[in-house]
Amino acid sequence: MTAARIALDPRFTVGPIDRRIFGSFVEHLGRCVYDGIYEPGHPEADAEGFRRDVVALVKELGVTIVRYPGGNFVSGYKWEDGVGPREARPHRLDLAWHSLETNDVGLHEFADWARKAEVELMLAVNLGTRGVAEALDLLEYSNVRGGSALSEQRRMNGADEPFAVRMWCLGNEMDGPWQLGHRSAADYGKLAGMTAKAMRQLDPSVQLVVCGSSNSGMPTFGAWEREVLEQTYDDVDFISCHAYYRETDGDRASFLASAVDMDGFIETVVATADHVKSVLRSEKTIDISFDEWNIWYAARFENDERITDIETWPIAPRLLEDVYTVTDAVVFGGLLISLLKHADRVKAASLAQLVNVIAPIMTEPDGAAWRQTTFFPFALTARLAQGTVLRLEIECGTVATSVYGAVPVIDGVATLADDGSVALFVTNRHLTDVTDVTIDLGALGDVVVSECLTLADEDQDASNTREDPDRVAMHVNDSASVKDGVLTVSLPAVSWTAISLTRAGAFHAAGRSSQRSA
Ligand code: AHR
């Protein structure tokens, strides 16, 4: 057993939570759209072919904004293919994923789905094979009320009201050699700058995300951000970060410390953006849109249904269908903690992706939809993390890792809602030992534990599958108690925990008598 002490104080403010930090991502990739959110003929499909059971799970997950339509897919995408009468829409080869795109779902359908799922729509423009003119066309089509050629075309296609898209990504991972239209930072910066200026000229209310590096291991990482921001600083609002983590060679200790890497990644990009700010003598601050993050075992899928014979590229093949374990979900919960800890600069984030493709929600054609292990930390954090983020002062031992050296056993963050309730999110990275945590709540006044839920399992590799969809769930952690203003709680080895603290009077007034499960 190990022990930890945590100091929690409402004055340890990081910043307000931008709800867009609980975003996700739907790409035309594998079965994310087709046989994922959209499956006409499924018993749960609505009149437009969208699965109601999936919409219900998206709402339960608490997603606020969804990035669409890619990802690598967007760099070859012609948005015009996906509007107008379905029967006239072309089938296209999707070079990114070696699939055949039917265009049965396009902008109108996805905007309808977003409305049903009660999420904001965030669009990416193609800066791989296209440029300024096509980005402007898409913006006019989406955001202009009427009276111009493309806005009238949208109205004729059935959407009288504009889609009013606020957040736009200027391409996707343009630093990656795998990207269609990949180019140097200088060339991308120039194109992104011109596109941003033009888009703002059309609609000054848009918020623009310029591509950062596709991961922090890229040889150009740092230099890419600097050069791209030097060319676009005045015309964009965010720079993107992308990061995927996985356990390699059985090194679970390092995997459990993945958030250490994410912390460093965010802080490096912030430092680079602020360096450009000072060089340019700018008053403006660029924030981060962490618009792809997750656990992804990319190597597992190198040989899956990626067909090389161009005549036989499949429609919606099973691609990147990771099945997540309890350990994956604990690390995932740690990544959410990292995003929250940087809420002063991370103002948007997209869990990549939403359904079937490295996703918290899985579906079977004509069959069920279920929650992966990673569903639970996301849903709980999105529900409980309200108001302002509070930094924690944590005193604890360390775990040795081969990748990150000695890292703290415990990581965590707290949030303070307007009604005075506090949520704590903590992870125990110890491979074998329970950690007993003591938290001084003196600065919070009279509070009680209204909920304490832990994700842990004797089998750290357990997962939810089609055959056993409810094998893993959050469990009430009844070790949590408050006495004389001190909270004590035992955190199992390899675990992630959410604790909700409510003002004593408020808790009783609400008539809540027991903890709820997720
Ligand atoms: O999310 C899967 C892929 O990962 C995206 O298409 C791409 O942007 C990233 O490399």
Side-chain angles (χ1 to χ4, degrees), residues 133-191:
E134 295 87 350
L136 280 177
D137 285 351
L138 177 56
L139 181 60
E140 178 188 331
Y141 189 92
S142 302
N143 282 14
V144 175
R145 181 161 296 281
S148 66
L150 290 168
S151 58
E152 288 302 324
Q153 190 185 332
R154 182 200 68 239
R155 295 181 66 204
M156 276 173 37
N157 286 337
D160 214 31
E161 289 298 310
F163 299 127
V165 179
R166 191 161 55 131
M167 258 186 108
W168 296 78
C169 302
L170 299 167
N172 177 69
E173 294 190 348
M174 298 308 300
D175 64 322
W178 58 87
Q179 199 70 216
L180 268 177
H182 155 68
R183 55 201 81 189
S184 66
D187 289 348
Y188 169 68
K190 197 167 176 190
L191 176 61

Side-chain angles (χ1 to χ4, degrees), residues 18 20-21 65 120 122 166-171 188 192 196 200 205-212 225 228-229 232-241 269 273 284-291 343-349:
D18 188 321
R20 292 179 294 184
I21 210 170
I65 182 168
E120 185 182 335
M122 167 180 178
R166 191 161 55 131
M167 258 186 108
W168 296 78
C169 302
L170 299 167
Y188 169 68
R200 281 202 198 288
S205 73
V206 291
Q207 295 191 321
L208 301 175
V209 186
V210 74
C211 290
E225 279 75 3
V228 164
L229 281 176
T232 58
Y233 203 89
D234 287 340
D235 300 307
V236 302
D237 305 284
F238 300 92
I239 184 155
S240 70
C241 289
V269 174
K284 173 179 168 184
T285 299
I286 297 286
D287 289 319
I288 290 178
S289 168
F290 213 119
D291 50 38
D344 54 335
R345 297 300 289 273
V346 178
K347 301 284 182 184

Side-chain angles (χ1 to χ4, degrees), residues 25 27 29 67 70-73 97 172-173 178-179 214 242 244 292 296 320 352-353 357-358:
F25 176 32
E27 177 166 3
L29 192 183
R67 179 172 175 248
N72 296 340
F73 171 80
W97 303 106
N172 177 69
E173 294 190 348
W178 58 87
Q179 199 70 216
S214 43
H242 290 183
Y244 294 99
E292 287 188 33
W296 179 10
L320 321 189
Q353 300 192 2
V357 174
I358 44 174

Side-chain angles (χ1 to χ4, degrees), residues 20-27 32 61-67 122 241-244 262 289-296 324 332-333 335-336 339 348-355 357-361 372-379:
R20 292 179 294 184
I21 210 170
F22 299 113
S24 186
F25 176 32
V26 167
E27 177 166 3
C32 189
L61 191 61
V63 170
T64 53
I65 182 168
V66 177
R67 179 172 175 248
M122 167 180 178
C241 289
H242 290 183
Y244 294 99
M262 193 187 238
S289 168
F290 213 119
D291 50 38
E292 287 188 33
W293 69 271
N294 203 348
I295 313 298
W296 179 10
Y324 293 116
F332 180 100
L335 300 179
L336 280 162
L339 292 172
S350 305
L351 163 61
Q353 300 192 2
L354 188 56
V355 183
V357 174
I358 44 174
I361 298 169
Q372 291 239 49
T373 55
T374 51
F375 186 99
F376 303 109
F378 191 101

